Amino acid sequence: MNRFAFYPGCVSKGSCPELYESVEQVMDLLDIEVEELTDVGCSGAGVLTTEVSDPINARTLAKAEQMGLALMTICSTCQGVIGAAALRLQDPEYRAFINKEYLAAEGLEYKGTTEVKHFLWVLVEDVGLDELKALVRRPLEGMGFSPFYGCYLRRPADVVGRRERRTYIEKITEVLGGTVVNISGKGKCCGFPSLTINEPNALAMTAKHTGEAKDNGADAMVTPCPLCHLELDGEQTQAAAAARRTIEMPILHLPQMVGLALGLDPKGLGLGRHFVSTAKIVAQLEPVEAAVSAT
Amino acid sequence: MELTLNVRRGGTRRSADDSHQAYHVDVEPETSVFEALVKVREEQDGTLAFRGNCGVGFCGDCTMLVNGRQEVVCLMPVGKAQKDDEIKIDPIPYAPTVKDVMYDAKRFIWDKVNSFSPGVVFNGVEQVTEEELSPVRRAMRCTMCGICDQGCTVIDVNLDFKGPAALNKVFRYVFDPRDGRAKERVVEAGETNGVWDCVHCWEASDHCPFDIDPTHRIMELRDRSVRLGVKSGTGNRQAARHYNAFERSVEHHGWLDERNVAIQSYGGLIRGGLKMMPTGLAALRRGKANLLPHRKRPGASAIKALFARYREVTRTER
Ligand code: SF4
């Protein structure tokens, strides 16, 4: 049994409810138990100045610390921003400043011990690839997935930690029976941070990555970041139009891909809620029973 | 060791099947790629064009693609660069090519640097501590080699983005305690294609060979800009609207209401609402969104208090 303090982030509770629903179902099957933090704030997403986001994130880290649990995120950006704050808060002087100026008023203190882990890392490092493999009830055979990490799960190196974390999506895809379809932009920006600031830039990035996945023959892309999902899925039609081509590349949330392989119902995993149709993916799935009896 | 340098030849027009000319040289493995090219130019072919000056990694001028990777070639020994005794050399892709592997340095970097006000404008502060100056010194070590551009996800789609090196130059002045033009500088840096167009993908920091950590410098420049009350240039108010909408959402609800932030960023309910309408309707149809605005979360008042405190703390420090 793995236990975590759970930080679902804003988007899984807002525009990507299918992420929240799918991760909950998958965590059940994987014996991951979580206590959701409901009274904490947005990480700031790299938009807010660290002068205000560090206190907000220190408060989140302190709450997880009080529970004696590591903090689990399901968004690359939440992970990167809270992870970077946690790293800065390793500095005793800075931590003392934040504690005194911000957290003390609420009777909180952060001691600097909370580990911050994305669900992707939990899958490999806590659940384990062997355990995951043993639970597969519908191998994703014959299906090609292009990984798309979200910047903050790739860089900066000191926040991400172990280097091999940069290849976890590929490892998981293989364990689930799928084929990895590599794309050069898998660690690049999806475009979302620029969507409301410089839209042409954002759309060009989206067209480039989804187009590359299509050209390389992927059936879908898979991402552990709901912001990448909002962009690659939600903006794909506009991006394709701007790039004067058709793309129609389904984008799966990481727990959706895992859930499909574990035999969960595509509808329950929210595959019908995407902008780009996932019907072709669903049609390729074998019935769970058949898959089970075949093994 | 005996080596073959396959160097791209040709003029300004680039194509996927650019022709390469093979030059054979006999050099020590520790000879730099730059020195090997100089040897070729001096002994075999005086028409070969490439950039490079200092030869010791200081000027950043001799940047080119070595087997597909951008390098400062005076720091790259041929022994390390070679693959089966061959080295393929191409011009950098993020600037117009002048000839062979010579790039247009003006368009590549100097026009961008020169679009910002130069020089420290003395503010009367005569004594500064080493501690205050150390981030400035670090930024000043930038060689303008532009290797950071290789990773930059924005340059990749828009060559007009000022890029990490030029923005790092702005950082160098804004954080100099002797400079009195910080506010004007962050306005300049905040125009379209400037500091707010950075998508903080951290690629530049990953690529910079001189430990400038340019993405951090850009983010610190943004933080300082917010501290100075500047959230965009004068020509792209949308960046400021986006920041303010984001801040309002988190301050009042504890969380981000991404749909509302998008609407506000595009210029309020009428303009933004219309722009977001097609996406919004599609989202509604798919059960991705509902019409209710985000509710306040438990903890919202505590987050609001943190914002109030942040305003106090930064006011007293200003
Ligand atoms: S920031 Fe680093 S990589 Fe970029 S130009 Fe300066 S020295 Fe080169």
Side-chain angles (χ1 to χ4, degrees):
Chain A
M1 164 76 65
N2 290 295
R3 292 190 73 224
F4 294 93
F6 181 33
Y7 182 87
C10 309
V11 179
S12 82
K13 293 273 188 165
S15 299
C16 287
E18 71 280 3
L19 169 60
Y20 187 83
E21 288 157 15
S22 59
V23 82
E24 271 202 316
Q25 295 171 55
V26 169
M27 286 193 302
D28 266 356
L29 293 180
L30 296 177
D31 223 8
I32 301 173
E33 195 177 282
V34 293
E35 264 180 71
E36 184 173 328
L37 293 169
T38 51
D39 62 346
V40 291
C42 166
S43 73
V47 174
L48 293 183
T49 169
T50 52
E51 292 193 284
V52 68
S53 64
D54 276 3
I56 296 175
N57 291 324
R59 183 173 175 274
T60 306
L61 291 162
K63 295 217 165 217
E65 192 174 61
Q66 276 184 342
M67 294 154 78
L69 297 172
L71 185 72
M72 189 181 83
T73 61
I74 49 172
C75 165
S76 302
T77 307
C78 297
Q79 174 65 38
V81 174
I82 303 178
L87 198 63
R88 279 190 291 276
L89 288 161
Q90 288 298 304
D91 173 9
E93 218 177 290
Y94 184 55
R95 195 168 65 240
F97 163 77
I98 297 284
N99 278 330
K100 178 169 166 281
E101 294 293 342
Y102 292 95
L103 302 195
E106 232 188 309
L108 279 171
E109 187 197 349
Y110 179 51
K111 299 194 179 71
T113 65
T114 304
E115 192 188 359
V116 191
K117 276 190 133 176
H118 190 284
F119 173 68
L120 172 69
W121 304 348
V122 168
L123 279 181
V124 178
E125 294 163 13
D126 298 274
V127 174
L129 291 173
D130 291 340
E131 174 72 14
L132 189 59
K133 190 170 187 164
L135 290 167
V136 171
R137 294 185 62 205
R138 179 165 53 198
L140 304 174
E141 257 150 41
M143 296 164 76
F145 297 92
S146 288
F148 196 86
Y149 279 82
C151 300
Y152 282 93
L153 284 196
R154 307 276 296 191
R155 295 167 301 272
D158 55 348
V159 181
V160 173
R162 311 178 195 180
R163 240 196 120 69
E164 59 271 22
R165 284 176 170 168
R166 297 182 181 211
T167 55
Y168 280 179
I169 302 181
E170 288 89 323
K171 290 206 172 109
I172 289 171
T173 305
E174 279 164 6
V175 159
L176 302 178
T179 307
V180 175
V181 178
N182 217 347
I183 54 169
S184 64
K186 68 183 172 192
K188 297 273 185 189
C189 174
C190 62
F192 187 79
S194 218
L195 185 61
T196 50
I197 293 172
N198 191 328
E199 195 180 10
N201 285 359
L203 295 182
M205 290 178 202
T206 300
K208 192 162 183 163
H209 306 314
T210 53
E212 193 185 351
K214 183 176 173 114
D215 294 342
N216 293 357
D219 294 297
M221 289 169 83
V222 59
T223 180
C225 180
L227 298 178
C228 294
H229 195 275
L230 279 181
E231 177 70 29
L232 299 177
D233 179 52
E235 301 299 322
Q236 192 184 120
T237 311
Q238 294 84 309
R244 296 167 198 274
R245 61 172 297 184
T246 49
I247 299 176
E248 284 161 24
M249 174 58 53
I251 315 292
L252 299 188
H253 295 284
L254 174 68
Q256 288 179 325
M257 178 177 78
V258 176
L260 290 176
L262 299 190
L264 293 170
D265 169 38
K267 193 153 181 275
L269 291 168
L271 261 72
R273 288 188 166 178
H274 298 193
F275 285 95
V276 177
S277 167
T278 56
K280 276 195 196 145
I281 294 281
V282 176
Q284 272 175 275
L285 294 170
E286 282 182 54
V288 176
E289 291 74 14
V292 170
S293 60
T295 49
Chain B
M1 66 190 301
E2 289 185 20
L3 280 173
T4 306
L5 302 177
N6 290 313
V7 189
R8 184 262 179 191
R9 298 306 305 270
T12 50
R13 279 171 72 122
R14 304 282 310 276
S15 73
D17 47 359
D18 269 353
S19 63
H20 290 71
Q21 187 166 342
Y23 296 103
H24 305 286
V25 288
D26 190 0
V27 288
E28 297 303 317
E30 17 336 310
T31 310
S32 72
V33 174
F34 178 63
E35 286 169 304
L37 283 168
V38 170
K39 196 171 157 70
V40 167
R41 190 171 60 191
E42 285 177 355
E43 297 174 6
Q44 300 181 32
D45 186 349
T47 70
L48 182 63
F50 56 93
R51 300 191 69 94
N53 282 301
C54 71
V56 289
F58 211 75
C59 71
D61 207 29
C62 65
T63 178
M64 49 191 91
L65 296 188
V66 177
N67 293 331
R69 251 187 86 90
Q70 193 178 338
E71 305 281 356
V72 174
V73 293
C74 68
L75 296 179
M76 172 55 73
V78 291
K80 193 173 163 210
Q82 58 82 32
K83 236 191 192 153
D84 302 329
D85 297 332
E86 291 194 16
I87 301 176
K88 186 163 177 264
I89 297 183
D90 287 279
I92 50 171
Y94 302 115
T97 303
V98 179
K99 178 175 182 290
D100 303 337
V101 286
M102 179 184 274
Y103 61 92
D104 182 342
K106 183 172 174 294
R107 296 269 297 279
F108 179 50
I109 188 80
W110 299 116
D111 281 351
K112 295 180 181 182
V113 172
N114 290 340
S115 68
F116 299 122
S117 301
V120 170
V121 179
F122 189 48
N123 60 5
V125 174
E126 285 185 352
Q127 290 210 336
V128 293
T129 63
E130 184 53 41
E131 197 189 346
E132 284 175 306
L133 215 55
S134 90
V136 178
R137 281 195 205 285
R138 183 184 192 177
M140 284 170 77
R141 287 207 309 266
C142 169
T143 64
M144 301 284 160
C145 66
I147 288 194
C148 43
D149 283 4
Q150 172 169 236
C152 177
T153 36
V154 184
I155 296 258
D156 197 30
V157 297
N158 175 7
L159 287 180
D160 292 332
F161 177 53
K162 301 289 183 190
L167 292 170
N168 173 66
K169 192 78 175 166
V170 182
F171 174 99
R172 177 254 168 278
Y173 293 120
V174 169
F175 281 76
D176 192 318
R178 299 161 300 184
D179 182 67
R181 275 182 62 86
K183 198 157 179 174
E184 290 85 344
R185 291 183 202 280
V186 292
V187 171
E188 274 179 13
E191 300 297 353
T192 299
N193 292 325
V195 74
W196 300 101
D197 280 22
C198 168
V199 293
H200 35 101
C201 69
W202 306 97
E203 280 274 4
S205 288
D206 222 31
H207 279 78
C208 172
F210 298 106
D211 194 32
I212 308 298
D213 207 344
T215 320
H216 269 111
R217 304 293 82 79
I218 292 175
M219 295 310 278
E220 284 164 5
L221 193 56
R222 274 158 76 143
D223 279 4
R224 179 62 64 93
S225 189
V226 171
R227 175 73 87 98
L228 292 165
V230 177
K231 293 154 187 168
S232 74
T234 49
N236 60 338
R237 292 282 183 222
Q238 192 157 314
R241 276 201 299 268
H242 177 70
Y243 189 96
N244 290 333
F246 198 111
E247 188 181 68
R248 254 196 317 274
S249 176
V250 180
E251 182 166 3
H252 296 292
H253 303 279
W255 290 84
L256 178 69
D257 182 345
E258 60 275 7
R259 282 155 294 159
N260 197 28
V261 166
I263 290 172
Q264 298 300 329
S265 306
Y266 282 123
L269 210 52
I270 307 278
R271 219 151 62 103
L274 278 175
K275 166 128 183 98
M276 295 298 293
M277 191 88 88
T279 322
L281 287 176
L284 272 179
R285 260 203 312 278
R286 289 167 176 81
K288 264 180 94 69
N290 58 44
L291 283 173
L292 299 171
H294 266 209
R295 281 190 306 267
K296 269 191 192 168
R297 302 276 173 96
S301 56
I303 301 297
K304 198 167 181 173
L306 290 182
F307 270 91
R309 189 75 198 116
Y310 148 70
R311 298 226 158 79
E312 272 169 46
V313 169
T314 52
R315 188 175 321 119
T316 48
E317 273 183 22
R318 234 177 260 190

Coordinates of all heavy atoms in Angstrom, one line a residue, chain B residues 60 72 109 139 141-149 164-166 168 204 207-214, ligand 1:
Chain B
G60 N 32.1 33.5 -28.2 CA 30.9 32.8 -28.5 C 30.6 32.8 -30.0 O 29.5 32.4 -30.5
V72 N 30.1 25.4 -29.4 CA 31.1 26.5 -29.5 C 32.3 25.7 -29.9 O 32.9 25.0 -29.1 CB 31.3 27.2 -28.2 CG1 32.4 28.2 -28.3 CG2 30.0 27.9 -27.8
I109 N 21.8 37.6 -33.2 CA 21.8 38.0 -31.8 C 21.9 39.5 -31.7 O 21.2 40.1 -30.8 CB 23.0 37.3 -31.1 CG1 22.9 37.6 -29.6 CG2 24.3 37.7 -31.6 CD1 21.9 36.8 -28.9
A139 N 25.5 36.8 -14.9 CA 24.8 37.1 -16.2 C 25.8 37.7 -17.2 O 25.7 37.4 -18.4 CB 23.7 38.1 -16.0
R141 N 28.8 36.8 -17.7 CA 29.6 35.8 -18.3 C 29.1 35.2 -19.6 O 29.7 34.5 -20.3 CB 29.9 34.6 -17.3 CG 30.8 35.0 -16.1 CD 31.5 33.7 -15.6 NE 30.5 32.6 -15.4 CZ 30.0 32.4 -14.2 NH1 30.3 33.1 -13.1 NH2 29.1 31.4 -14.0
C142 N 27.8 35.6 -19.9 CA 27.2 35.1 -21.2 C 28.1 35.5 -22.4 O 28.5 36.7 -22.5 CB 25.8 35.7 -21.3 SG 25.1 35.4 -23.0
T143 N 28.4 34.5 -23.2 CA 29.3 34.8 -24.4 C 28.5 35.1 -25.6 O 29.1 35.3 -26.7 CB 30.1 33.6 -24.7 OG1 29.2 32.5 -25.1 CG2 30.9 33.1 -23.5
M144 N 27.1 35.1 -25.6 CA 26.3 35.4 -26.7 C 26.5 34.3 -27.8 O 26.4 34.6 -29.0 CB 26.6 36.8 -27.4 CG 26.4 37.9 -26.4 SD 24.6 38.2 -26.3 CE 24.6 39.1 -24.7
C145 N 26.9 33.1 -27.4 CA 27.0 32.0 -28.3 C 25.7 31.6 -28.9 O 25.7 30.9 -30.0 CB 27.8 30.8 -27.7 SG 26.8 30.0 -26.4
G146 N 24.6 31.8 -28.2 CA 23.3 31.5 -28.7 C 23.0 30.0 -28.7 O 22.0 29.5 -29.3
I147 N 23.8 29.2 -27.9 CA 23.5 27.8 -27.8 C 22.1 27.5 -27.1 O 21.4 26.6 -27.4 CB 24.6 27.0 -27.1 CG1 25.8 27.0 -28.1 CG2 24.2 25.6 -26.7 CD1 26.9 26.0 -27.8
C148 N 21.8 28.5 -26.3 CA 20.5 28.4 -25.6 C 19.3 28.4 -26.6 O 18.3 27.8 -26.4 CB 20.3 29.5 -24.6 SG 20.9 31.1 -25.2
D149 N 19.5 29.1 -27.8 CA 18.5 29.1 -28.8 C 18.2 27.7 -29.3 O 17.1 27.4 -29.8 CB 19.0 29.9 -30.0 CG 18.9 31.4 -29.7 OD1 18.5 31.8 -28.6 OD2 19.2 32.2 -30.6
P164 N 16.8 33.8 -25.0 CA 17.4 33.8 -23.7 C 18.6 34.8 -23.6 O 18.8 35.5 -22.6 CB 17.9 32.4 -23.5 CG 17.1 31.6 -24.5 CD 16.8 32.5 -25.6
A165 N 19.5 34.8 -24.6 CA 20.7 35.6 -24.4 C 20.4 37.1 -24.3 O 20.9 37.8 -23.5 CB 21.6 35.3 -25.6
A166 N 19.5 37.6 -25.2 CA 19.2 39.0 -25.2 C 18.5 39.4 -23.9 O 18.7 40.5 -23.3 CB 18.4 39.4 -26.4
N168 N 18.8 37.8 -21.1 CA 19.8 37.8 -20.0 C 20.5 39.1 -19.9 O 20.9 39.5 -18.8 CB 20.7 36.6 -20.3 CG 21.9 36.5 -19.3 OD1 21.7 36.3 -18.1 ND2 23.1 36.8 -19.8
A204 N 16.6 26.4 -22.2 CA 17.8 27.2 -22.4 C 18.8 26.9 -21.3 O 20.0 26.8 -21.5 CB 17.4 28.7 -22.3
H207 N 20.7 23.8 -21.9 CA 21.6 23.8 -23.0 C 22.9 24.7 -22.8 O 23.9 24.5 -23.3 CB 21.0 24.3 -24.3 CG 20.2 23.2 -25.0 ND1 19.0 22.8 -24.6 CD2 20.5 22.4 -26.1 CE1 18.5 21.8 -25.4 NE2 19.5 21.6 -26.3
C208 N 22.7 25.8 -22.0 CA 23.8 26.8 -21.9 C 25.1 26.1 -21.3 O 25.0 25.5 -20.2 CB 23.4 27.9 -20.9 SG 24.8 29.0 -20.5
P209 N 26.2 26.2 -22.1 CA 27.4 25.5 -21.6 C 28.2 26.3 -20.6 O 29.2 25.9 -20.1 CB 28.2 25.3 -22.9 CG 27.7 26.4 -23.8 CD 26.3 26.8 -23.4
F210 N 27.7 27.6 -20.3 CA 28.5 28.4 -19.4 C 27.8 28.7 -18.1 O 28.1 29.7 -17.5 CB 28.8 29.7 -20.2 CG 29.7 29.5 -21.4 CD1 29.1 29.6 -22.7 CD2 31.0 29.1 -21.3 CE1 29.9 29.3 -23.8 CE2 31.8 28.9 -22.4 CZ 31.2 28.9 -23.7
D211 N 26.8 27.9 -17.7 CA 26.2 28.0 -16.4 C 25.6 29.4 -16.2 O 25.6 29.9 -15.1 CB 27.2 27.7 -15.3 CG 26.5 27.5 -14.0 OD1 25.4 27.0 -14.0 OD2 27.1 27.8 -13.0
I212 N 25.0 30.0 -17.2 CA 24.3 31.3 -17.0 C 22.9 31.0 -16.5 O 22.3 31.8 -15.8 CB 24.2 32.0 -18.4 CG1 25.5 32.2 -19.1 CG2 23.5 33.4 -18.2 CD1 26.5 33.0 -18.3
D213 N 22.4 29.8 -16.8 CA 21.1 29.4 -16.3 C 20.0 30.4 -16.8 O 19.3 31.0 -16.0 CB 21.1 29.3 -14.8 CG 20.0 28.3 -14.3 OD1 19.1 27.9 -15.1 OD2 20.1 27.9 -13.1
P214 N 20.0 30.6 -18.1 CA 19.2 31.8 -18.6 C 17.7 31.7 -18.4 O 17.1 32.7 -18.2 CB 19.5 31.7 -20.1 CG 20.1 30.4 -20.4 CD 20.8 29.9 -19.2
Ligands
SF4_1 S1 23.0 32.2 -22.1 FE1 24.6 30.6 -22.3 S2 24.0 29.5 -24.2 FE2 22.9 31.5 -24.2 S3 24.2 32.9 -25.3 FE3 24.7 33.1 -23.2 S4 26.4 31.7 -22.8 FE4 25.5 31.1 -24.8

